[in-house]
Amino acid sequence: MDANNEIRLRLRFYKDVDDNIENVQQKFENYSKNDLTDFAINVHENHIWFYVIGPKKRFWSPHLHLQLEPKTEKETHIRGLFGPDQTLWTFFMFLHFIVAGIFTIFAMFAYSNYTLKQPVTLDVLIMLLMVIVWFLLYFIARQVRKKGNEQMNEMERLFLKIIE
């Protein structure tokens, strides 16, 4: 998967497997019982999670969520979603909501000041600053994803090894 050409921060993929859903789940459950040193695999019903563990785990380490869906009786459709660590993702979402809130508040101030024929320079300046901060958050998130690319590729190789 080429992550550098994707705009989305959470990369997705889809794969169809010529095996029923129970057999695919069993493959992951059996593999998760192996002594894995770099990854942890959690299987719960039709959901499977891969996590980086041990000395390789960093704040930018991704995780992989797989959702198994029956396509036919002998075929399984797998939806994969790579994402950052949940704590980091929550922190980024918190920052995005703060930036959006500040932008909205100062947009209301700007509108009120404009209708009252007051200067709106400071309000518009802060709104512009929030747009710049929003783009800055996006590029920081892209850098975090870029640092985790090698681990994403390792997870993808492990995933393909398990299902084959």
Side-chain angles (χ1 to χ4, degrees):
M1 172 183 307
D2 186 18
N4 295 327
N5 294 330
E6 284 284 330
I7 292 176
R8 284 183 270 169
L9 293 175
R10 299 181 72 195
L11 301 175
R12 300 172 193 280
F13 67 90
Y14 307 99
K15 183 149 182 79
D16 291 328
V17 179
D18 292 329
D19 210 351
N20 66 21
I21 199 164
E22 290 81 17
N23 290 345
V24 174
Q25 282 176 320
Q26 194 61 44
K27 286 180 185 179
F28 284 103
E29 287 175 7
N30 292 342
Y31 200 87
S32 68
K33 293 175 184 170
N34 292 346
D35 187 26
L36 301 172
T37 56
D38 296 335
F39 299 102
I41 301 174
N42 294 338
V43 180
H44 182 68
E45 294 179 2
N46 292 351
H47 298 273
I48 300 162
W49 291 272
F50 285 65
Y51 299 99
V52 178
I53 58 171
K56 283 189 166 186
K57 180 152 177 67
R58 302 285 185 258
F59 76 90
W60 65 78
S61 293
H63 75 274
L64 172 60
H65 174 239
L66 302 173
Q67 183 176 353
L68 308 177
E69 299 174 350
K71 189 171 183 179
T72 64
E73 286 187 23
K74 296 187 186 267
E75 245 187 326
T76 302
H77 181 70
I78 301 174
R79 296 174 181 266
L81 176 65
F82 285 103
D85 182 65
Q86 289 88 347
T87 307
L88 183 65
W89 185 256
T90 303
F91 177 67
F92 266 94
M93 289 297 102
F94 173 75
L95 291 178
H96 278 279
F97 285 124
I98 294 296
V99 168
I102 291 172
F103 180 89
T104 304
I105 289 169
F106 278 92
M108 290 186 291
F109 287 166
Y111 176 74
S112 296
N113 286 339
Y114 178 76
T115 56
L116 295 172
K117 299 190 182 353
Q118 300 286 327
V120 295
T121 309
L122 180 64
D123 302 327
V124 172
L125 185 66
I126 291 176
M127 287 170 53
L128 181 64
L129 182 66
M130 290 301 107
V131 170
I132 292 169
V133 168
W134 183 75
F135 278 109
L136 184 64
L137 285 173
Y138 174 77
F139 288 113
I140 290 170
R142 291 221 11 139
Q143 286 303 108
V144 167
R145 185 182 77 187
K146 191 174 183 179
K147 283 186 173 185
N149 261 357
E150 184 55 39
Q151 290 178 337
M152 273 195 295
N153 292 334
E154 287 178 39
M155 282 183 184
E156 186 177 26
R157 284 191 294 271
L158 180 62
F159 159 69
L160 293 173
K161 177 183 169 185
I162 294 171
I163 62 172
E164 292 183 8

